[in-house]
Each structure stands twice: as structure tokens, then as C-alpha cells.
Amino acid sequence: MARCYCHWRRLLICLCTPCILLVLMFIYVTVMVSLNMTAAAGGETSVWVTKTDRVHFIASGTYTIEGLAPLPKTFWDPHPHSGALWNHLQLVIDRHYNPILSPKNTERGTINTSHESLLQQSFSTAHYWENMTEFAKLPQQMQNFASNMHKRDYPILIQPNVTCGAGAEEEEEPPLLLLAIKTTEENYENRQAIRESWGQVGWVAGRRQDSGGGRGESVGKKSGGYVRRVFLLGRTNHKEQGAYTELLQQESQRYGDILQWDFTDSFFNLTLKDVLFWGWFSHHCDRTHFIFKGDDDIFVNIPAMIDYLQDQLQKPKAHKAMRDFMVGDVIGAAQPIREYKSKYFVPASFYKGFYPAYAGGGGVVYSGLLTKRLNIISKSIHLFPIDDVYVGMCMIRLKAYPIHNPAFLTFDFPGKEESKPCAYHTILLVHKRIPSQIVTLWARLKDTKTQCLNVTLRNKTNKHKNRNIAPKKS
Ligand SMILES: *[C@@H]1O[C@H](CO)[C@@H](O)[C@H](O)[C@H]1NC(C)=O
Ligand SMILES: *[C@@H]1O[C@H](CO)[C@@H](O)[C@H](O)[C@H]1NC(C)=O
Ligand SMILES: *[C@@H]1O[C@H](CO)[C@@H](O)[C@H](O)[C@H]1NC(C)=O
Ligand SMILES: *[C@@H]1O[C@H](CO)[C@@H](O)[C@H](O)[C@H]1NC(C)=O
């Protein structure tokens, strides 16, 4: 009898102990989850959150530590956007294309015109931001951006006669490079300096005068390629509106390189130039190998650029590499600038998280193939006020990564490097130079050509002290 009792007791202990432990664990987890949700819904993050918000369990939530970039909070963060408007809007779309949540939406290569309606839908879920006290606290231009960010179908005011920018009519083979330069109506001098110096169109020679020497592939043919040019503009609001329009029309007739859209040219509207340019390019520019996209205050060593790009095309599997090809001064793991007075100020109520790796916008080169892919993917990504960062956001969603090249000096020469006689032969690009400097530098580049024939492109990485934050342009 005693033995039997003992047996049952052991059995009970064996069975029940795990059960009790499991129940305790379940209670613990439940309490933690609900505590977490109330904290998230009731704390400072409630700014953009309404009661109608449904709870979603998604990883990669963020929260702010003063001064530092946000860190993932918990695995089950119910509000991964943490009250930031852009993240909140984009979340709807990223979920739609999440390969785990909705595998059938993610088949690459299928172009779905419902992209755009998806963008609009995400706005309707976020109509409440206009009322927020937070919104009124944003700087004026941020408010302006946020209330216009759903618009991107601005009509073209002026465009080149010929298919794809100045220079297109003279070509005998597919163009190597299209220069797409962001400028503004009043920067006539900058445009003129570029036209007269590094921005000349037609057939342009590379640095290697005779690519027969040592290369083999194209014996007897001079290195070079066809170059086209187009300037990207919005409208500037002047007192004498008509005067500038007239001048620009004349400029367009003379040079055929003006592409202007009907939106206000402002810093936060620069992203529109990228997006609209990709659309225009996809319609008008066939078979262009590369795009150089840059500002109107840079100097480009075009002969070296041409050789560099020809080399890319000669590489094995070049066609495959071109799908993702983008090169520039790459800035990784940058954080949004939270200083109110900065030109780059992006408040936490608008965007949270790191920026994706992006190429500094002073000047960057990418392939025509990638441009067409960027055009499609950009239809499912909300506009972001900083243009370079927006391009980075498109890139990570294409699973493409920009290549860093130390010859792109978007932060100028480090130290005394510039004073060396062949300094400008070692670079592909330098930012920033005024029009008169651009013209002088171009002349000097030609004068020192034989003297500096054997210098190679610089390959030391610039030590940016401020690598961790967005670039300061001016
Ligand atoms: C595009 O999306 C719509 C609505 O989401 C869907 O009905 C349609 O089948 C999709 N088309 C393609 C080609 O995937
Ligand atoms: C906006 O605020 C006003 C007054 O504070 C309120 O009456 C209105 O319902 C609010 N609208 C939304 C969409 O929250
Ligand atoms: C563009 O077309 C207009 C009118 O057709 C003409 O006057 C102008 O010269 C052309 N411009 C160029 C650069 O070909
Ligand atoms: C961008 O351009 C549009 C159209 O002109 C304008 O309404 C909007 O205010 C501009 N946005 C910014 C941030 O300047």
C-alpha cells in the first residue's frame, strides 16, 4: 500500500512540475507583452498613434536614446514606426512587399501599377497628422514637405528637342555617359562653366590616348565615348517670373539641354528631380550605359571618368554587374541630424532609424539599367526630404549596394593633397568649386596632361571626421 502511494506521488511530481513551470512562464510572458504594449501606446511614442491603430507584431522597433541612433527595443514592438511619420507611412508598403508576410507580392520583376495606389492608401491611414501639435512644431519647410509628399506627377515645362539630352544626334554608337546636373534657374554661370569645360557633349576622349597600348581589345581605336548632357531644374519663385522663363527658353533653344518641371526648386524638393528624372530617362533614353548625376558646383575629371567607365564595361560579367552598378563617395550608417538649425534637420517625429548606405549626392555614377530599376522601385517608396538618402532607400529595397570609390571627393581634398601638381589627375570628382574655378581647373587639367600621364587614381579612403553623420554641403 505504502509502495503504491509512493509511486503515485512520484508520477504526480513528474507530470505536474513541468506543467506548473509552463503555466508560470506563460503568465510571465503575457504580463510582459501587455506591459510593453501599454508602455508603447502611452509613452512619448503616442504622438502619431490613434486608438484605431491595429497592433502588429513586427521586429525592428526603435526607440530613442538622447543623441544616439535608435536601437531595436523588443522583438514584439507593436509600433515599429514609433511615432515617426515617414516610417509609419512606409511600413504599410514594406509589409505589402514583405516576402514572409505576403510572398506573392514580392516576385521581382513584375511591374504592378497598383504601387501608386498603395502609396495613396498609406496616406489615408495617416490623415490625422495634420492635427498634431507635433506637426506645428516642425520647421516650416518640413511641414511644407510633409503636406506635399504625396504629389510627384509634376508636368514638364521645358525638355530637350532631341530624344535624350544635348549631344544625342551626333552619336554613332550607344552613348557611354549622360551627364544629369541638378541646377536652378538663376545658376546660369554654373551651367555655362560646365558646358565650356568638363560637360562638353559629343565624342569625348579618355585619358588613355591610345588604348591599343597594353590593352589589346580595341587596338587602333582611341579610348573615349559619346557623352550627352541635361540640366535638371524646378521653378524658382521670382518677383519677375516671366524674365527667367524667357531666358531659360532661349537657353534651351540654343543648347537643347534643359529639362524643367513645374515644381518649386527648394532643398527638400531635390528628391523630386531624381524621381522625375528616372521616369524621363526610362522613356527617352535607350541604351545609355551610365548616368552621372551631380550638382552644378563640382569639377569632374571627365577623361579619367571615361576610362574608368570603359574599364567597368570590359570586366567579365559586366552586364550582370550593371544591374546594380552605382559608384560614389559612400556614407554608411549615418544618422539623421537632430539639430534644429541644420539644413539637414530631420526630426524624430518624421524619421527614426539609421539611414541606409548612400552615395554622397555631390556626384554619383550609376548604370542605365539600374536607373530603370530605380524608376520602378521608387513608385513604392515615399519621398524623403534628403535626396541622396532617398536614393539609398531605393537601393536597399533593390538589394543593391553602392560601391565606394576614394576618387570621388564630395568633401574636397583632405589636408594639403590639393597643392600637388598632379592632384586633379588623381580624382574623378571634387565638390565644391565656383564657375571660374571650374573653367581654370579644366584648362590646367589639359595643360598638365603629358606631365601627369602616369599618375593613377587615388585609392586612399578619405578620413571623414564626420563620417557618421550626413554630409554638410554648405
Ligand atoms: C497588381 O496588384 C493588384 C491589386 O493589388 C492585383 O489585383 C493584380 O493582380 C497585380 N498585378 C500583377 C501583375 O501582379
Ligand atoms: C482636429 O482638431 C479639432 C479641434 O481640436 C477636432 O475638432 C478635430 O476632430 C480634429 N480632427 C482630427 C482628424 O483629429
Ligand atoms: C528645338 O526646337 C525649336 C523649335 O522646333 C527650335 O527653334 C530650336 O532651335 C531647337 N533647339 C535645338 C537645340 O535643336
Ligand atoms: C515642392 O514643390 C511644390 C510644387 O511647386 C510646392 O507646392 C512645395 O511647397 C514644394 N516643397 C518644398 C518643401 O519646398
Side-chain angles (χ1 to χ4, degrees), residues 127-128 131-132:
H127 60 89
Y128 49 80
N131 232 13
M132 294 295 159

Side-chain angles (χ1 to χ4, degrees), residues 108-334:
R108 293 279 155 196
T110 51
I111 304 165
N112 200 332
T113 44
S114 68
H115 276 147
E116 268 134 335
S117 62
L118 203 65
L119 281 185
Q120 298 304 325
Q121 271 171 36
S122 60
F123 278 105
S124 64
T125 67
H127 60 89
Y128 49 80
W129 85 70
E130 280 160 7
N131 232 13
M132 294 295 159
T133 46
E134 281 300 307
F135 186 79
K137 279 191 228 151
L138 297 180
Q140 192 56 45
Q141 68 162 356
M142 199 69 189
Q143 289 187 25
N144 192 349
F145 177 82
S147 40
N148 285 299
M149 69 188 278
H150 58 289
K151 279 193 269 176
R152 53 168 88 180
D153 54 344
Y154 297 99
I156 291 177
L157 295 175
I158 303 177
Q159 64 176 323
N161 281 359
V162 283
T163 46
C164 177
E169 69 274 31
E170 300 151 34
E171 293 153 4
E172 288 158 17
E173 56 186 70
L176 181 68
L177 183 60
L178 168 65
L179 308 170
I181 314 296
K182 289 184 179 178
T183 179
T184 51
E185 286 181 353
E186 62 273 24
N187 279 6
Y188 171 77
E189 273 184 51
N190 298 56
R191 289 194 289 281
Q192 206 52 22
I194 291 171
R195 286 182 185 122
E196 286 167 11
S197 60
W198 58 265
Q200 290 167 25
V201 296
W203 199 87
V204 178
R207 231 155 67 96
R208 288 191 292 265
Q209 272 307 298
D210 177 17
S211 64
R215 304 221 121 233
E217 295 99 33
S218 45
V219 181
K221 207 176 159 203
K222 281 167 87 183
S223 84
Y226 283 98
V227 176
R228 297 172 174 180
R229 179 184 67 226
V230 67
F231 288 104
L232 315 175
L233 298 96
R235 265 186 311 101
T236 314
N237 296 322
H238 306 283
K239 283 187 195 125
E240 306 137 52
Q241 187 70 48
Y244 267 104
T245 313
E246 183 89 348
L247 284 174
L248 208 65
Q249 290 280 7
Q250 285 174 12
E251 217 181 311
S252 172
Q253 275 177 18
R254 176 132 190 228
Y255 300 105
D257 58 3
I258 300 291
L259 177 52
Q260 187 187 30
W261 292 276
D262 190 11
F263 63 81
T264 312
D265 223 328
S266 65
F267 179 62
F268 277 6
N269 264 351
L270 283 178
T271 311
L272 282 172
K273 289 191 186 175
D274 292 272
V275 172
L276 294 174
F277 169 71
W278 294 338
W280 182 84
F281 178 89
S282 303
H283 277 105
H284 294 90
C285 303
D286 230 15
R287 301 194 304 161
T288 307
H289 287 300
F290 297 101
I291 314 326
F292 171 82
K293 196 220 68 185
D295 293 344
D296 64 359
D297 56 353
I298 52 171
F299 178 77
V300 185
N301 180 354
I302 277 287
M305 183 71 86
I306 283 177
D307 287 351
Y308 172 79
L309 295 178
Q310 292 285 18
D311 287 348
Q312 304 308 308
L313 292 177
Q314 301 297 329
K315 281 186 178 169
K317 297 193 186 150
H319 187 74
K320 193 157 175 274
M322 284 308 125
R323 271 176 64 77
D324 291 346
F325 184 81
M326 179 181 282
V327 62
D329 183 5
V330 176
I331 296 145

